[in-house]
Amino acid sequence: MKIILTVRLSIRVRDRGFQLECCLSEALGAIGLEGNIPLLEKTLVSDPCSRATPASCCSSVDQLREVLLDEERDMYQRYAALFALQNRCEDVAVSAIVDSLGARSALLRHEVAYVLGQLQNKAATAALSRVLKNVSEHPMVRHEAAEALGSIANSQSVKLLEEFAKDVEPIVSQSSEVALSMLEFERSGKSFKYLFM
């Protein structure tokens, strides 16, 4: 029996003196090797992001939006609200998630861009485009916006990724290049997931 874990493994990436947690468990879980299970289980206790997954099914989108946008709430509560909104998959939930791209925390904005990429909702294109274009934004947030735009893959986002593949910030330009390459590969009818298997 194949065991699939949906936990988050965090590492700290130091960039310009800023500590940013990047989630790797999605990749380890997607690989599906049983050898990854002990590592994922070990991080379950130490990773604050992993506690955020049990979101309230009884909260309305408006209540979740309020928690997500409340700068006085702790990150655990805001992450829980984000993931609960992600599970709703409604346009009004996507709108609430988009609004949180204005949060003070770069870590949260990074995760918000990731979630918007997972949702692949074209309504997020304009907001993600603004994030990618904002050279004052943290590079890791811009990187995640580029990848999210690649997931959305409409003509507007592809044009923007082509432009930002030449960005002076390497994290942004490389993310744009990767997003475009993956789009091209998937459009050819091949699955990127099984390229090296």
Side-chain angles (χ1 to χ4, degrees):
M1 180 170 122
K2 190 172 182 176
I3 299 172
I4 300 173
L5 296 176
T6 56
V7 297
R8 293 186 159 316
L9 169 65
S10 295
I11 61 168
R12 302 233 189 290
V13 177
R14 291 189 190 272
D15 183 57
R16 297 183 186 176
F18 183 82
Q19 279 195 330
L20 183 66
E21 289 190 5
C22 295
C23 298
L24 295 176
S25 67
E26 289 90 357
L28 291 174
I31 292 169
L33 298 175
E34 288 196 35
N36 292 342
I37 293 172
L39 178 61
L40 292 168
E41 287 175 335
K42 182 179 177 183
T43 62
L44 185 59
V45 175
S46 62
D47 181 14
C49 295
S50 65
R51 298 178 309 185
T53 54
S56 171
C57 62
C58 303
S59 298
S60 70
V61 169
D62 287 338
Q63 290 169 324
L64 293 168
R65 180 184 188 283
E66 184 179 321
V67 171
L68 180 58
L69 297 177
D70 186 349
E71 296 287 352
E72 301 305 314
R73 298 277 184 138
D74 65 34
M75 203 55 73
Y76 168 79
Q77 293 171 323
R78 296 176 82 188
Y79 265 64
L82 173 63
F83 298 138
L85 286 165
Q86 178 184 18
N87 291 337
R88 300 293 172 95
C89 298
E90 305 165 34
D91 285 344
V92 68
V94 171
S95 177
I97 295 170
V98 165
D99 288 346
S100 67
L101 282 168
R104 286 192 306 243
S105 167
L107 174 62
L108 183 60
R109 292 191 311 272
H110 171 271
E111 192 68 19
V112 166
Y114 174 81
V115 165
L116 290 171
Q118 293 294 302
L119 291 172
Q120 299 178 330
N121 189 310
K122 292 182 184 358
T125 303
L128 289 166
S129 297
R130 283 190 299 274
V131 170
L132 182 57
K133 291 176 183 179
N134 182 359
V135 295
S136 298
E137 177 59 86
H138 192 281
M140 289 301 288
V141 179
R142 293 179 68 215
H143 133 82
E144 204 60 63
E147 290 194 2
L149 287 165
S151 295
I152 293 171
N154 61 12
S155 59
Q156 180 186 354
S157 61
V158 170
K159 183 178 177 184
L160 194 62
L161 289 170
E162 289 169 346
E163 177 185 341
F164 280 88
K166 299 174 186 97
D167 196 83
V168 295
E169 177 61 55
I171 295 169
V172 174
S173 61
Q174 292 168 5
S175 296
S176 298
E177 288 174 20
V178 168
L180 289 167
S181 296
M182 289 180 69
L183 278 172
E184 183 179 328
F185 192 79
E186 289 172 5
R187 287 178 178 165
S188 72
K190 299 175 185 172
S191 173
F192 186 79
K193 184 176 179 180
Y194 300 107
L195 181 61
F196 296 106
M197 295 181 130

